Amino acid sequence: MTESLLHQRFPELASTLPFARLGIAPTPVRPLDLGTNSTVWCKDESGYGSGGWGGNKIRKLEWLLPEARRRGARTILTFGGTGTNWGLATALYAREFGIDTALALVDQPVDDHVRAQLRRLENSGATLYFTHSKLRTVLAAPWLLLRHMHGRTPPYLLPVGGSSPIGALGYVEVALELAAQIAAGELLQPTHLVTAVGSGGTAAGLALGLRLAGLRTRVVGVVVNDSLPLDDRHIIELANRAARVLRARGTEFTAPELRPDDVTMVRDWLGPGYGHETPVAIAAKKLAATNGLELETVYTAKALAGLLAMDTRGDFGNGPVLFLDTYGPR
């Protein structure tokens, strides 16, 4: 499938909101054997992406890179930790569009993955700035914007994780894709969808997209980042901003605005902070491997650990529950 489902649903957006397919859709859904009370399925985004990195970041870039080109931007300026999957994906895919990438990097706990990711970042062609802390990054931002001007054209400034209103449309698209898979009988409609939340765009896009698709599935976000406001209110605010982008670009729909009580964000599995391993995440990573899933302990293993604990508590009722695997190594 090359055409966007969002464009199929709202054809008027095709001329105002550009899209570029960067992977093979739809991504597969399958049951997992985790010893849970609820039936658990996985929608596996790990194989998504035709370039040097995959996962949920590519879904956002399918909307963000065409938008950058529409604006005439020659550079994307964005941010992340020193092991950023987002920054690497941006650098690798942006160069296919003839767009440079500049990354301001904040320190995170260093392990083998972060060391390997830094080597990948250094080889990606991105310009790297080691700003070390959130405060120093904020202070450096005006200089970075000026440094990467091309004539009078500023760089396309994107937040951590690409979680802007346009970036969130990547997971509006995935929610529509999931609805099509349910309609085709590939799985039953899940009562809950569990995903890691590092910057909010995935959860916000899912919340909006599920509503547009007419599904009752509730988004449960396992927060893995302690440096951003990622509570229910902020996720829904981003979802509603994405809805306003759709309306501003020329489409209309009758779904009411989402409210904070339409999603659940939980912080119980964050541990000491972003990038820090936890024993339950390590255990969840090992359990996932028995089902052929490669997770990592910064995002996805913490989300699975949360799912397992919430299932044990009976939070999901009878389910079924869908786990979204957003990790995309290559």
Side-chain angles (χ1 to χ4, degrees), residues 125-168:
T127 303
L128 307 181
Y129 299 93
F130 293 90
T131 48
H132 300 294
S133 70
K134 183 177 178 180
L135 176 60
R136 289 179 63 176
T137 303
V138 170
L139 294 174
W143 178 82
L144 292 172
L145 283 166
L146 289 172
R147 175 71 180 79
H148 290 280
M149 292 282 291
H150 284 272
R152 295 185 179 181
T153 304
Y156 187 24
L157 181 65
L158 291 173
V160 172
S163 291
S164 68
I166 290 178

Side-chain angles (χ1 to χ4, degrees), residues 71-313:
R71 296 179 180 211
R74 298 278 301 278
T75 301
I76 288 173
L77 172 60
T78 191
F79 314 93
T82 45
T84 174
N85 293 328
W86 157 246
L88 179 62
T90 302
L92 293 174
Y93 286 87
R95 68 188 184 189
E96 297 180 12
F97 283 68
I99 298 172
D100 296 329
T101 300
L103 300 172
L105 301 176
V106 174
D107 295 340
Q108 72 178 80
V110 177
D111 57 16
D112 289 343
H113 168 73
V114 171
R115 292 186 190 95
Q117 197 74 331
L118 275 172
R119 289 193 294 272
R120 296 183 192 105
L121 287 167
E122 289 165 355
N123 293 329
S124 70
T127 303
L128 307 181
Y129 299 93
F130 293 90
T131 48
H132 300 294
S133 70
K134 183 177 178 180
L135 176 60
R136 289 179 63 176
T137 303
V138 170
L139 294 174
W143 178 82
L144 292 172
L145 283 166
L146 289 172
R147 175 71 180 79
H148 290 280
M149 292 282 291
H150 284 272
R152 295 185 179 181
T153 304
Y156 187 24
L157 181 65
L158 291 173
V160 172
S163 291
S164 68
I166 290 178
L169 298 179
Y171 273 83
V172 173
E173 178 77 12
V174 170
L176 297 177
E177 184 177 299
L178 176 62
Q181 291 173 306
I182 292 169
E186 295 183 41
L187 75 163
L188 296 175
Q189 181 177 164
T191 59
H192 298 80
L193 188 162
V194 178
T195 184
V197 178
S199 57
T202 296
L206 287 168
L208 174 59
L210 292 168
R211 176 67 63 87
L212 291 176
L215 299 180
R216 300 182 302 277
T217 304
R218 184 178 189 83
V219 175
V220 179
V222 178
V223 176
V224 301
N225 191 343
D226 54 346
S227 65
L228 295 173
L230 294 169
D231 56 15
D232 303 352
R233 181 176 65 83
H234 282 89
I235 297 300
I236 291 305
E237 180 180 302
L238 178 55
N240 286 327
R241 287 169 62 202
R244 289 195 287 274
V245 166
L246 294 178
R247 290 187 168 106
R249 297 293 174 97
T251 193
E252 286 296 332
F253 45 88
T254 58
E257 282 210 346
L258 290 154
R259 300 175 302 176
D261 59 4
D262 288 328
V263 299
T264 300
M265 298 294 122
V266 292
R267 301 177 62 88
D268 309 59
W269 294 275
L270 173 63
Y274 178 76
H276 289 270
E277 287 190 340
T278 62
V280 292
I282 294 170
K285 178 180 177 180
K286 292 178 179 177
L287 179 60
T290 67
N291 282 259
L293 283 182
E294 181 182 354
L295 306 184
E296 39 64 52
T297 54
V298 176
Y299 291 88
T300 47
K302 287 183 177 180
L304 184 60
L307 183 156
L308 294 170
M310 286 183 279
D311 172 79
T312 299
R313 290 193 318 222

